[in-house]
Amino acid sequence: MRPRTWVLLLVAVFALLQLANVTGRATPDTKNYISYALSLKGESKRDTAVATVDYYCASRASMAHRRQNVHVDNFHGPDPAPRVMKECRERELGRVEARLEAGQTGGHTMPHMPERFMAIFEVRPGYPVFLVPFLTLFGVTWGVWTASVVIACAGGVLAFLVLRTLGVPVPLALTGQALYYVLPCGATAMRPMTEGLMMALILAVLWGCALVVQGARTRRGLVLAGGALAALFTVKHSQALFLGLGLAVAGALIAVRRRRRGRAAGRGVVALAGVGCAGVLGTVLLSRLLHYPSVSESLQDLLAGHFTRPDRERLWAEFFQLNGNFWMEWLRRQMWEPLFVAFLAAGAWGARRRPVFGAFLVAAAATGFLNQAGHPDINIWGGRLIVVAWLLPVLGVPLLLEPVLRGRVALPAQGAPVELAR
């Protein structure tokens, strides 16, 4: 079969597997994004609240039903889904009604939390805008599921395209696509939150980097990297800041290293560093011009329980103390179950086979650690904050396996038959 057929086959298999979990993926933040999208669609505040709460509570009821079915003591008991659905709707709609009556009617998101908390999500229109056509065509439940499938599948296809641009053989490029689906990237991308679209845009930036590094389509690569970085600003501007910083640092290090060895820095590498610097500067300036919540406001949200408790007076001191505690606990857990660390090491070793692109890949993966460091909470939905770091093994492991494949298969000139090497 042609490579595109294999790509589509992997997409189809992954999409079919996701039918096992049409509901049950919602998180508390999901309410913010769905209500934002419904508001953009033109729904009233109350209609938006009802539709959003119904989706969220149906997800909680579905999970309660599944847990009941496998509970060793209560699997034969009555189905808890109707009770969970009723209690959840009463609680969530009660909060919204109270805040609407109190005059909290501004913005696009559903007012179920303090305005300071909701302001953080008001500045992330990218994912809600992406959701709108799916909600319009398929309704909330199937619209969110379809949008998630499209985002997740696109991430795998982009991984394939990045590897093929680097000259990786088709079987290993397909391996990268499959790794994206089976590693936490795929499961996280299927959640109705920003992470899936965020990873797809980061892969688009890396595809642009690959095009520039290969030197064949430098201008197209720069346009792709810059455009994806700009789109990332609308999805999650802090991630755009981190990625821009990573591109700038990686490009500068490559240029300095080449200069020390008596070589030219390379126009493509310098241009990518310039794209990163423009991303950093643009993110900072636009955030201030648009009056986005500040870093200190984000930390208050973290440490003051989403503004349900008084603001912290020693904000930064407590934040750094919590960060130290977090990373010690994180390392302890990684030593206990070192799968993530092993994949990172394999990906980093594979990235050495394409040292220039590998520098940009490592820089992009490192933004996952920066994002996690900004939210040092060990219990936030199964490592979704650090999920970008999984892109390192997704692209690095196929590069690591490349010598193995090339050692077994002699790649002949075009038109000659493929022969097995001794």
Side-chain angles (χ1 to χ4, degrees), residues 4 18 26 40 66 84 103 109 112 138 159 180 248 287 310 356 367 369 395 403 414:
R4 70 181 66 178
Q18 304 317 303
L40 292 176
R66 297 176 192 179
V84 171
T109 53
H112 65 104
F138 305 109
Y180 185 88
S287 298
V356 178
T367 63
F369 287 91
L395 299 178
Q414 186 174 2

PDB file of all heavy atoms in Angstrom, residues 4 18 26 40 66 84 103 109 112 138 159 180 248 287 310 356 367 369 395 403 414:
ATOM      1  N   ARG A   4       0.390   6.992   2.155  1.00  0.00           N
ATOM      2  CA  ARG A   4      -0.812   7.713   2.596  1.00  0.00           C
ATOM      3  C   ARG A   4      -1.914   6.746   3.033  1.00  0.00           C
ATOM      4  O   ARG A   4      -2.706   7.061   3.929  1.00  0.00           O
ATOM      5  CB  ARG A   4      -1.319   8.630   1.493  1.00  0.00           C
ATOM      6  CG  ARG A   4      -1.933   7.918   0.291  1.00  0.00           C
ATOM      7  CD  ARG A   4      -2.396   8.895  -0.761  1.00  0.00           C
ATOM      8  NE  ARG A   4      -1.267   9.606  -1.350  1.00  0.00           N
ATOM      9  CZ  ARG A   4      -1.385  10.491  -2.333  1.00  0.00           C
ATOM     10  NH1 ARG A   4      -2.584  10.785  -2.821  1.00  0.00           N
ATOM     11  NH2 ARG A   4      -0.326  11.085  -2.836  1.00  0.00           N
ATOM     12  N   GLN A  18     -11.711   5.165  19.666  1.00  0.00           N
ATOM     13  CA  GLN A  18     -12.234   6.230  20.524  1.00  0.00           C
ATOM     14  C   GLN A  18     -13.745   6.146  20.714  1.00  0.00           C
ATOM     15  O   GLN A  18     -14.302   6.831  21.578  1.00  0.00           O
ATOM     16  CB  GLN A  18     -11.858   7.602  19.962  1.00  0.00           C
ATOM     17  CG  GLN A  18     -10.376   7.798  19.747  1.00  0.00           C
ATOM     18  CD  GLN A  18      -9.539   7.260  20.894  1.00  0.00           C
ATOM     19  OE1 GLN A  18      -9.717   7.655  22.058  1.00  0.00           O
ATOM     20  NE2 GLN A  18      -8.607   6.369  20.587  1.00  0.00           N
ATOM     21  N   ALA A  26     -14.607  14.452  30.242  1.00  0.00           N
ATOM     22  CA  ALA A  26     -14.650  15.855  30.662  1.00  0.00           C
ATOM     23  C   ALA A  26     -13.862  16.076  31.946  1.00  0.00           C
ATOM     24  O   ALA A  26     -13.811  15.218  32.832  1.00  0.00           O
ATOM     25  CB  ALA A  26     -16.092  16.304  30.855  1.00  0.00           C
ATOM     26  N   LEU A  40     -19.833  31.746  21.557  1.00  0.00           N
ATOM     27  CA  LEU A  40     -19.449  32.221  20.228  1.00  0.00           C
ATOM     28  C   LEU A  40     -20.479  31.798  19.180  1.00  0.00           C
ATOM     29  O   LEU A  40     -20.684  32.497  18.182  1.00  0.00           O
ATOM     30  CB  LEU A  40     -18.073  31.660  19.855  1.00  0.00           C
ATOM     31  CG  LEU A  40     -16.876  32.166  20.662  1.00  0.00           C
ATOM     32  CD1 LEU A  40     -15.617  31.426  20.234  1.00  0.00           C
ATOM     33  CD2 LEU A  40     -16.690  33.669  20.494  1.00  0.00           C
ATOM     34  N   ARG A  66     -19.459   3.347  35.261  1.00  0.00           N
ATOM     35  CA  ARG A  66     -18.369   2.415  34.962  1.00  0.00           C
ATOM     36  C   ARG A  66     -17.683   1.936  36.243  1.00  0.00           C
ATOM     37  O   ARG A  66     -17.333   0.752  36.359  1.00  0.00           O
ATOM     38  CB  ARG A  66     -17.358   3.085  34.030  1.00  0.00           C
ATOM     39  CG  ARG A  66     -17.927   3.455  32.675  1.00  0.00           C
ATOM     40  CD  ARG A  66     -16.908   4.200  31.846  1.00  0.00           C
ATOM     41  NE  ARG A  66     -17.516   4.806  30.672  1.00  0.00           N
ATOM     42  CZ  ARG A  66     -16.853   5.534  29.788  1.00  0.00           C
ATOM     43  NH1 ARG A  66     -15.558   5.733  29.938  1.00  0.00           N
ATOM     44  NH2 ARG A  66     -17.483   6.065  28.752  1.00  0.00           N
ATOM     45  N   VAL A  84     -26.154  10.657  40.222  1.00  0.00           N
ATOM     46  CA  VAL A  84     -25.002  11.533  40.009  1.00  0.00           C
ATOM     47  C   VAL A  84     -25.359  12.653  39.041  1.00  0.00           C
ATOM     48  O   VAL A  84     -24.994  13.815  39.249  1.00  0.00           O
ATOM     49  CB  VAL A  84     -23.806  10.710  39.481  1.00  0.00           C
ATOM     50  CG1 VAL A  84     -22.670  11.627  39.043  1.00  0.00           C
ATOM     51  CG2 VAL A  84     -23.327   9.733  40.538  1.00  0.00           C
ATOM     52  N   GLY A 103     -24.901  39.415  38.993  1.00  0.00           N
ATOM     53  CA  GLY A 103     -24.415  40.346  37.979  1.00  0.00           C
ATOM     54  C   GLY A 103     -23.165  39.910  37.251  1.00  0.00           C
ATOM     55  O   GLY A 103     -22.597  40.697  36.481  1.00  0.00           O
ATOM     56  N   THR A 109     -17.345  32.817  28.831  1.00  0.00           N
ATOM     57  CA  THR A 109     -17.414  31.570  29.589  1.00  0.00           C
ATOM     58  C   THR A 109     -18.587  31.566  30.554  1.00  0.00           C
ATOM     59  O   THR A 109     -19.097  32.613  30.952  1.00  0.00           O
ATOM     60  CB  THR A 109     -16.117  31.357  30.386  1.00  0.00           C
ATOM     61  OG1 THR A 109     -15.847  32.524  31.170  1.00  0.00           O
ATOM     62  CG2 THR A 109     -14.944  31.107  29.456  1.00  0.00           C
ATOM     63  N   HIS A 112     -19.315  30.047  36.506  1.00  0.00           N
ATOM     64  CA  HIS A 112     -19.461  29.092  37.605  1.00  0.00           C
ATOM     65  C   HIS A 112     -18.365  29.244  38.645  1.00  0.00           C
ATOM     66  O   HIS A 112     -18.343  28.521  39.648  1.00  0.00           O
ATOM     67  CB  HIS A 112     -19.435  27.660  37.059  1.00  0.00           C
ATOM     68  CG  HIS A 112     -18.125  27.268  36.450  1.00  0.00           C
ATOM     69  ND1 HIS A 112     -17.231  26.455  37.096  1.00  0.00           N
ATOM     70  CD2 HIS A 112     -17.552  27.574  35.254  1.00  0.00           C
ATOM     71  CE1 HIS A 112     -16.171  26.265  36.332  1.00  0.00           C
ATOM     72  NE2 HIS A 112     -16.349  26.937  35.207  1.00  0.00           N
ATOM     73  N   PHE A 138     -22.887  18.758  14.868  1.00  0.00           N
ATOM     74  CA  PHE A 138     -23.147  17.482  15.535  1.00  0.00           C
ATOM     75  C   PHE A 138     -23.717  17.605  16.946  1.00  0.00           C
ATOM     76  O   PHE A 138     -23.962  16.581  17.589  1.00  0.00           O
ATOM     77  CB  PHE A 138     -21.847  16.664  15.609  1.00  0.00           C
ATOM     78  CG  PHE A 138     -21.184  16.441  14.284  1.00  0.00           C
ATOM     79  CD1 PHE A 138     -19.994  17.092  13.974  1.00  0.00           C
ATOM     80  CD2 PHE A 138     -21.742  15.601  13.339  1.00  0.00           C
ATOM     81  CE1 PHE A 138     -19.372  16.888  12.752  1.00  0.00           C
ATOM     82  CE2 PHE A 138     -21.132  15.399  12.105  1.00  0.00           C
ATOM     83  CZ  PHE A 138     -19.946  16.040  11.818  1.00  0.00           C
ATOM     84  N   ALA A 159       3.177  14.209  13.099  1.00  0.00           N
ATOM     85  CA  ALA A 159       4.383  13.489  13.500  1.00  0.00           C
ATOM     86  C   ALA A 159       4.967  12.715  12.314  1.00  0.00           C
ATOM     87  O   ALA A 159       6.187  12.700  12.094  1.00  0.00           O
ATOM     88  CB  ALA A 159       4.069  12.546  14.657  1.00  0.00           C
ATOM     89  N   TYR A 180       2.498   8.425  18.756  1.00  0.00           N
ATOM     90  CA  TYR A 180       1.685   9.571  19.183  1.00  0.00           C
ATOM     91  C   TYR A 180       0.321   9.104  19.683  1.00  0.00           C
ATOM     92  O   TYR A 180      -0.215   9.633  20.660  1.00  0.00           O
ATOM     93  CB  TYR A 180       1.516  10.552  18.030  1.00  0.00           C
ATOM     94  CG  TYR A 180       0.796  11.824  18.427  1.00  0.00           C
ATOM     95  CD1 TYR A 180       1.507  12.903  18.937  1.00  0.00           C
ATOM     96  CD2 TYR A 180      -0.591  11.942  18.307  1.00  0.00           C
ATOM     97  CE1 TYR A 180       0.852  14.073  19.301  1.00  0.00           C
ATOM     98  CE2 TYR A 180      -1.243  13.100  18.669  1.00  0.00           C
ATOM     99  CZ  TYR A 180      -0.523  14.166  19.174  1.00  0.00           C
ATOM    100  OH  TYR A 180      -1.177  15.313  19.554  1.00  0.00           O
ATOM    101  N   ALA A 248      14.322  30.267  20.141  1.00  0.00           N
ATOM    102  CA  ALA A 248      15.383  31.276  20.160  1.00  0.00           C
ATOM    103  C   ALA A 248      16.660  30.722  20.790  1.00  0.00           C
ATOM    104  O   ALA A 248      17.764  30.910  20.262  1.00  0.00           O
ATOM    105  CB  ALA A 248      14.900  32.515  20.922  1.00  0.00           C
ATOM    106  N   SER A 287       0.089  40.450  25.192  1.00  0.00           N
ATOM    107  CA  SER A 287      -0.506  40.144  26.495  1.00  0.00           C
ATOM    108  C   SER A 287      -0.736  41.407  27.310  1.00  0.00           C
ATOM    109  O   SER A 287      -1.756  41.546  27.986  1.00  0.00           O
ATOM    110  CB  SER A 287       0.398  39.172  27.264  1.00  0.00           C
ATOM    111  OG  SER A 287       0.528  37.945  26.585  1.00  0.00           O
ATOM    112  N   PRO A 310      -8.150  33.747  50.561  1.00  0.00           N
ATOM    113  CA  PRO A 310      -7.460  35.045  50.451  1.00  0.00           C
ATOM    114  C   PRO A 310      -6.146  34.930  49.683  1.00  0.00           C
ATOM    115  O   PRO A 310      -5.491  33.887  49.701  1.00  0.00           O
ATOM    116  CB  PRO A 310      -7.205  35.429  51.920  1.00  0.00           C
ATOM    117  CG  PRO A 310      -8.229  34.669  52.703  1.00  0.00           C
ATOM    118  CD  PRO A 310      -8.439  33.384  51.967  1.00  0.00           C
ATOM    119  N   VAL A 356      20.832  19.184  14.485  1.00  0.00           N
ATOM    120  CA  VAL A 356      20.260  20.528  14.361  1.00  0.00           C
ATOM    121  C   VAL A 356      18.766  20.488  14.666  1.00  0.00           C
ATOM    122  O   VAL A 356      18.271  21.231  15.526  1.00  0.00           O
ATOM    123  CB  VAL A 356      20.521  21.094  12.959  1.00  0.00           C
ATOM    124  CG1 VAL A 356      19.869  22.473  12.819  1.00  0.00           C
ATOM    125  CG2 VAL A 356      22.017  21.196  12.700  1.00  0.00           C
ATOM    126  N   THR A 367       9.476  22.601  26.920  1.00  0.00           N
ATOM    127  CA  THR A 367       8.390  23.486  27.321  1.00  0.00           C
ATOM    128  C   THR A 367       7.347  22.751  28.165  1.00  0.00           C
ATOM    129  O   THR A 367       6.621  23.383  28.925  1.00  0.00           O
ATOM    130  CB  THR A 367       7.705  24.110  26.091  1.00  0.00           C
ATOM    131  OG1 THR A 367       7.108  23.077  25.295  1.00  0.00           O
ATOM    132  CG2 THR A 367       8.699  24.875  25.243  1.00  0.00           C
ATOM    133  N   PHE A 369       8.107  20.738  30.583  1.00  0.00           N
ATOM    134  CA  PHE A 369       8.607  20.879  31.950  1.00  0.00           C
ATOM    135  C   PHE A 369       8.395  22.302  32.461  1.00  0.00           C
ATOM    136  O   PHE A 369       8.093  22.504  33.637  1.00  0.00           O
ATOM    137  CB  PHE A 369      10.091  20.507  32.002  1.00  0.00           C
ATOM    138  CG  PHE A 369      10.345  19.031  31.880  1.00  0.00           C
ATOM    139  CD1 PHE A 369      10.545  18.450  30.644  1.00  0.00           C
ATOM    140  CD2 PHE A 369      10.361  18.226  33.007  1.00  0.00           C
ATOM    141  CE1 PHE A 369      10.767  17.091  30.526  1.00  0.00           C
ATOM    142  CE2 PHE A 369      10.589  16.866  32.907  1.00  0.00           C
ATOM    143  CZ  PHE A 369      10.789  16.291  31.658  1.00  0.00           C
ATOM    144  N   LEU A 395       9.047  11.536  18.290  1.00  0.00           N
ATOM    145  CA  LEU A 395       9.895  11.806  17.127  1.00  0.00           C
ATOM    146  C   LEU A 395      11.302  11.250  17.282  1.00  0.00           C
ATOM    147  O   LEU A 395      11.963  10.937  16.279  1.00  0.00           O
ATOM    148  CB  LEU A 395       9.971  13.318  16.881  1.00  0.00           C
ATOM    149  CG  LEU A 395       8.638  14.017  16.592  1.00  0.00           C
ATOM    150  CD1 LEU A 395       8.852  15.513  16.423  1.00  0.00           C
ATOM    151  CD2 LEU A 395       7.973  13.446  15.348  1.00  0.00           C
ATOM    152  N   PRO A 403      19.013   3.379  12.341  1.00  0.00           N
ATOM    153  CA  PRO A 403      20.135   2.515  11.965  1.00  0.00           C
ATOM    154  C   PRO A 403      19.774   1.038  11.950  1.00  0.00           C
ATOM    155  O   PRO A 403      20.333   0.269  11.161  1.00  0.00           O
ATOM    156  CB  PRO A 403      21.196   2.816  13.040  1.00  0.00           C
ATOM    157  CG  PRO A 403      20.816   4.138  13.601  1.00  0.00           C
ATOM    158  CD  PRO A 403      19.326   4.191  13.531  1.00  0.00           C
ATOM    159  N   GLN A 414      16.740   4.536  -6.841  1.00  0.00           N
ATOM    160  CA  GLN A 414      15.345   4.556  -7.264  1.00  0.00           C
ATOM    161  C   GLN A 414      15.124   3.630  -8.452  1.00  0.00           C
ATOM    162  O   GLN A 414      15.868   3.641  -9.428  1.00  0.00           O
ATOM    163  CB  GLN A 414      14.950   5.998  -7.644  1.00  0.00           C
ATOM    164  CG  GLN A 414      13.456   6.126  -7.950  1.00  0.00           C
ATOM    165  CD  GLN A 414      13.080   7.570  -8.180  1.00  0.00           C
ATOM    166  OE1 GLN A 414      13.927   8.429  -8.142  1.00  0.00           O
ATOM    167  NE2 GLN A 414      11.838   7.827  -8.406  1.00  0.00           N
TER     168      GLN A 414
END
